[in-house]
Amino acid sequence: MTTNTSFIYDAASAVDPLGDAERENEKGVKHNRAKVGSGRPSSLIYTYGPGSIMDLPQFTIMPTGLDDWDRIWKRRDGIPEIRAPRLREVVRMLLRSPNVQLRPFPWQPKKLSMSNEGNDLGVPARVFPQWLRCTGCDMLAPLASFAYTNTHPYRADLACFEHARCTGRMSDKSRRATRRSAVPARYLLACVDGHLDEFPYDLWVHRGKPCAEAEFPALKMIDRTAGRGATATIRCASCGLSRPMNQAQGDQGALNLPKCRGRHPHLDAFQPGGCRNEARLLLVGASNLWFPATQSIIVMPESQEEQEGDLADRIRIALGDKLLKYRNNLDILRDLLDGKVNVTDLNDDTLAQVVTLAAEPPATTEQQEERLRTWDPVDLLVPEWRYLQKDPLGARHEDPVSGLTLSKRDLAPEVRPEITRVLAIERLRKVNALVGFTRIDAMDRVGDLPRRLVPLTRAPRPEWTVATEDRGEGIFLQLDEAAIASWEEQIYKTAEWAAHGEAHRRNFYRRFSETAENIDPDTRLKPPRYWLVHTLAHVLIRELALTCGYSAASLSERLYAWPEAEGRAAAAGLLICTTASDSDGTLGGLVQLSEPARLARVVRDALFRATRCSSDPICATRTPQDPEDFLHGAACHCCVMASETSCERANRFLDRRFLVNLRGSDLGFFGRGD
């Protein structure tokens, strides 16, 4: 069974809207680290990671930065680590930190008794936004004006904030005060560099000046409509001034907003030197408030060189400064490593070689920046593609270290000739790591990713980041490279491809929030082979879901599609897999469909279904024309598009015309699809 991670809220932080880590040491502060919710590890890395806002039944919370999680790990006997050396090196490069480790989310163990032990284990979180509105009288005030209640240890959904002396909306002062629940005030300020701040309601309603009648004015948020956007009005009950929130929207509204203060609420910190950006109005539930920046790999068997590199890295971290001091005395090194790193199976020559590797000087800042500048996310896929080109040893190969188990399938006579290789991946391990997040713009729409990544820690060089480890099964298909190259050469000359290129340029310039003068939009456009492999993956996911026992949302794609470039051969293939943090991802139903006869039937039916759509002929002839800027062609939710859990590109770069011939088009790689 999947272990959910609990969110632990410290009620003492309600005293100070900004919070303060140092308040842990103050006397007289009562801490109530109560469980207020939980989530699956996958959702905590892709949807509700540090710096995001998660809706609970009564209020919203923000998981804090990783600095605050150290208290959780100190309560454990040992700090767990997820082993994925290839991914770890990329994470270190992106975070500019040489010693980053991959750790799972802390979780609260299930209780077998009424003991309170372990109540404060989980993900630390704080209430955000910390301006609340009373549902009874519309009072708008900071968190300290409301009472926090959470009396039932097993009913986290009952935790709420209440206005203890609410008199309702009636003007009769004699009305008896009652307790009414409070909800988050839904307006925030954000900027393209990832800063997030409370909306300054007091300054807003008074046009940037203090209230003329009270030092601490009584504010109300009046909202009687059900429209979208900023429909509320802020009114000061002390002086009578009011101002609608719609004056903060749009280009004209941006002139009414203050400059960004450079605040990172998940870190309890502000950016040194402030921020140069204009602030933007956002709603609490806005989809562009938090975009995760993640990297993932399918763990493949390690080469001898990779194993030695990983061992050298662990020795370097375990010994620290002692490594250089005792590098020539292997007996002392063995004693120092006892209980930390297992080197008992290494002879002196091998150990000396690994120690020499561990003692090599680190890369200079210039070397790190150059590597970061030239790094391509495809570099994570290349080792996987290379390994999948090798025939497994024997009928079924199982690697005990990586957990990868695969076997080569024969090709049925009736299978499409464009498919040249099939592997049944009976077991695989996928590791996903969070390296930061962005706001306003998604990760793949950022020009300078390292600069725009919001940090997860206050420390400039973090020691660890969170990761998840999933297990599952899958089917790998490889396409004929010669046929792909010939087809791709023809596609580049078509009017359809020219239209996609123009639409991508329009999309690029309209949706970038920063100056994109130094970025060539064409470098962000995926090649035709990617559109082909991507569309094939989607139609296969739909077809496989009908018979494999998994839902379509449980299946995901991993695409290997790039032209030949310096240092890497061309690739055209895909892996359809299902992964989960428990055994639910390895039930075997997907692998069974890789058997020759069954796979031939699946591919045939998937391609046949792709020739038709209930939205045809509109879908079949869809081509973006100016001013349209969508990044798909003959594709819609009726025929090709998949859920966000399945697609790695948010349903972009899809076109059935590149897969099969549609009416009026003969561009399909698989022809008529029959």
Side-chain angles (χ1 to χ4, degrees):
M1 180 178 294
T2 300
T3 301
N4 284 355
T5 296
S6 301
F7 288 100
I8 305 300
Y9 163 61
D10 184 358
S13 66
V15 178
D16 181 4
L18 288 180
D20 189 351
E22 298 300 327
R23 295 178 64 253
E24 287 279 355
N25 298 324
E26 293 183 7
K27 296 181 179 179
V29 177
K30 183 179 180 180
H31 293 273
N32 174 20
R33 297 188 180 95
K35 177 181 176 181
V36 293
S38 63
R40 293 175 64 91
S42 59
S43 69
L44 297 181
I45 197 172
Y46 292 114
T47 312
Y48 300 119
S52 66
I53 295 180
M54 182 179 189
D55 279 313
L56 297 181
Q58 307 293 338
F59 53 90
T60 56
I61 61 171
M62 173 179 288
T64 63
L66 303 185
D67 306 275
D68 297 337
W69 299 26
D70 288 335
R71 172 182 58 82
I72 306 299
W73 291 122
K74 290 177 181 178
R75 291 179 52 85
R76 300 295 181 92
D77 295 334
I79 298 178
E81 180 183 344
I82 295 178
R83 190 173 184 276
R86 185 161 55 90
L87 177 62
R88 184 187 61 205
E89 292 306 311
V90 171
V91 170
R92 289 176 175 178
M93 176 192 65
L94 293 174
L95 296 180
R96 293 183 170 91
S97 181
N99 298 324
V100 176
Q101 302 297 320
L102 305 179
R103 300 180 187 174
F105 284 90
W107 66 91
Q108 185 178 26
K110 290 188 175 181
K111 298 179 181 180
L112 301 178
S113 65
M114 297 298 292
S115 171
N116 292 326
E117 183 178 358
N119 274 353
D120 61 344
L121 294 178
V123 174
R126 61 174 51 89
V127 175
F128 192 86
Q130 298 200 341
W131 277 80
L132 305 181
R133 178 181 67 86
C134 174
T135 58
C137 65
D138 293 329
M139 182 184 77
L140 180 65
L143 202 61
S145 301
F146 300 89
Y148 173 71
T149 60
N150 186 16
T151 58
H152 200 298
Y154 302 105
R155 291 293 304 276
D157 58 300
L158 298 180
C160 66
F161 287 89
E162 295 179 332
H163 184 196
R165 299 180 180 180
C166 176
T167 58
R169 298 186 177 92
M170 298 180 62
S171 59
D172 184 4
K173 300 297 183 182
S174 63
R175 183 180 180 185
R176 183 177 179 181
T178 58
R179 300 178 70 91
R180 292 294 186 94
S181 61
V183 296
R186 62 179 181 271
Y187 301 106
L188 299 168
L189 294 179
C191 83
V192 295
D193 281 344
H195 303 124
L196 189 67
D197 209 345
E198 302 273 5
F199 190 86
Y201 299 101
D202 190 355
L203 295 175
W204 174 257
V205 71
H206 296 106
R207 271 72 174 179
K209 300 178 181 179
C211 179
E213 300 295 332
E215 182 180 0
F216 302 102
L219 303 181
K220 289 183 177 293
M221 177 180 284
I222 312 299
D223 193 356
R224 301 288 185 265
T225 66
R228 295 179 297 175
T231 59
T233 298
I234 310 301
R235 183 168 66 86
C236 177
S238 300
C239 67
L241 289 177
S242 64
R243 192 177 188 183
M245 289 298 300
N246 58 17
Q247 293 185 8
Q249 287 184 301
D251 295 336
Q252 186 62 33
L255 301 176
N256 298 325
L257 295 175
K259 291 284 188 179
C260 176
R261 298 194 302 166
R263 183 186 178 192
H264 290 308
H266 66 296
L267 302 178
D268 280 347
F270 288 82
Q271 178 175 304
C275 179
R276 58 180 174 82
N277 298 312
E278 299 288 340
R280 304 186 183 195
L281 183 70
L282 282 186
L283 297 179
V284 168
S287 60
N288 62 345
L289 191 145
W290 191 84
F291 294 104
T294 61
Q295 298 294 335
S296 64
I297 64 167
I298 303 295
V299 180
M300 298 291 171
E302 300 172 10
S303 64
Q304 182 67 27
E305 182 181 357
E306 291 173 328
Q307 293 177 6
E308 291 181 356
D310 177 60
L311 181 59
D313 181 78
R314 288 186 285 130
I315 290 176
R316 178 180 59 83
I317 294 177
L319 295 180
D321 296 337
K322 297 179 181 178
L323 174 62
L324 296 179
K325 183 177 180 180
Y326 300 108
R327 60 178 299 180
N328 296 322
N329 194 323
L330 298 183
D331 292 334
I332 295 180
L333 287 180
R334 290 183 183 275
D335 292 338
L336 293 174
L337 293 172
D338 187 29
K340 299 179 180 178
V341 180
N342 184 12
V343 294
T344 56
D345 295 335
L346 301 182
N347 57 41
D348 287 348
D349 292 339
T350 304
L351 179 58
Q353 181 179 350
V354 173
V355 169
T356 300
L357 182 62
E360 290 182 353
T364 63
T365 303
E366 292 76 14
Q367 292 172 333
Q368 293 175 351
E369 293 300 323
E370 177 62 19
R371 183 189 175 197
L372 192 58
R373 186 184 63 82
T374 59
W375 181 76
D376 187 340
V378 172
D379 294 343
L380 273 176
L381 298 173
V382 172
E384 299 174 17
W385 173 258
R386 288 174 178 169
Y387 186 83
L388 293 173
Q389 304 306 296
K390 304 176 182 178
D391 287 335
L393 300 176
R396 180 176 181 271
H397 176 67
E398 180 176 358
D399 183 72
V401 178
S402 65
L404 184 70
T405 303
L406 53 81
S407 57
K408 186 177 181 180
R409 296 296 198 200
D410 295 328
L411 297 177
E414 60 271 22
V415 76
R416 295 297 304 238
E418 296 88 348
I419 298 176
T420 60
R421 183 179 178 82
V422 176
L423 293 177
I425 315 294
E426 299 179 29
R427 290 184 181 275
L428 60 83
R429 184 166 65 97
K430 184 181 181 184
V431 180
N432 320 279
L434 182 69
V435 297
F437 61 90
T438 60
R439 304 195 195 275
I440 310 297
D441 294 319
M443 177 180 172
D444 60 347
R445 296 182 184 269
V446 171
D448 183 7
L449 179 61
R451 181 183 64 81
R452 291 282 298 278
L453 275 182
V454 181
L456 301 176
T457 63
R458 290 184 289 270
R461 295 181 178 272
E463 296 181 357
W464 64 280
T465 189
V466 290
T468 59
E469 191 174 26
D470 301 329
R471 287 173 169 78
E473 59 177 300
I475 302 175
F476 171 77
L477 302 181
Q478 182 177 343
L479 303 182
D480 183 4
E481 174 57 33
I484 286 283
S486 176
W487 169 86
E488 191 172 38
E489 184 178 355
Q490 298 301 318
I491 293 297
Y492 276 124
K493 304 174 184 178
T494 62
E496 287 81 0
W497 183 251
H500 284 314
E502 291 297 328
H504 181 266
R505 294 185 191 96
R506 291 191 292 268
N507 183 287
F508 183 89
Y509 287 117
R510 291 173 184 174
R511 299 174 186 268
F512 258 64
S513 296
E514 61 178 339
T515 302
E517 297 177 353
N518 298 324
I519 304 174
D520 182 3
D522 293 342
T523 61
R524 301 294 180 92
L525 177 61
K526 294 297 182 181
R529 67 172 64 209
Y530 188 95
W531 292 62
L532 165 63
V533 173
H534 194 193
T535 308
L536 176 61
H538 277 224
V539 299
L540 287 177
I541 286 175
R542 285 173 169 251
E543 191 65 32
L544 289 167
L546 297 177
T547 53
C548 72
Y550 299 104
S551 66
S554 299
L555 301 178
S556 61
E557 63 189 6
R558 194 161 180 87
L559 308 181
Y560 307 93
W562 55 82
E564 185 177 2
E566 184 179 356
R568 64 185 184 216
L574 57 96
L575 171 64
I576 305 296
C577 63
T578 179
T579 57
S581 55
D582 51 25
S583 60
D584 289 348
T586 56
L587 300 180
L590 186 58
V591 168
Q592 288 185 357
L593 294 181
S594 66
E595 296 176 359
R598 293 180 176 179
L599 182 64
R601 184 174 62 252
V602 167
V603 173
R604 181 198 64 202
D605 293 347
L607 294 177
F608 176 75
R609 294 179 194 274
T611 62
R612 301 181 180 184
C613 173
S614 59
S615 295
D616 284 343
I618 296 175
C619 177
T621 58
R622 182 185 293 113
T623 302
Q625 303 294 335
D626 192 16
E628 296 170 332
D629 62 358
F630 50 83
L631 301 181
H632 62 272
C636 68
H637 286 286
C638 299
C639 56
V640 172
M641 292 185 177
S643 67
E644 63 180 10
T645 59
S646 301
C647 181
E648 65 178 33
R649 287 291 171 180
N651 284 316
R652 289 172 289 176
F653 311 128
L654 296 167
D655 197 328
R656 285 186 294 138
R657 285 171 298 196
F658 294 163
L659 184 66
V660 293
N661 291 340
L662 303 182
R663 179 174 298 181
S665 171
D666 59 353
L667 305 178
F669 178 72
F670 289 96
R672 294 184 304 171
D674 52 14

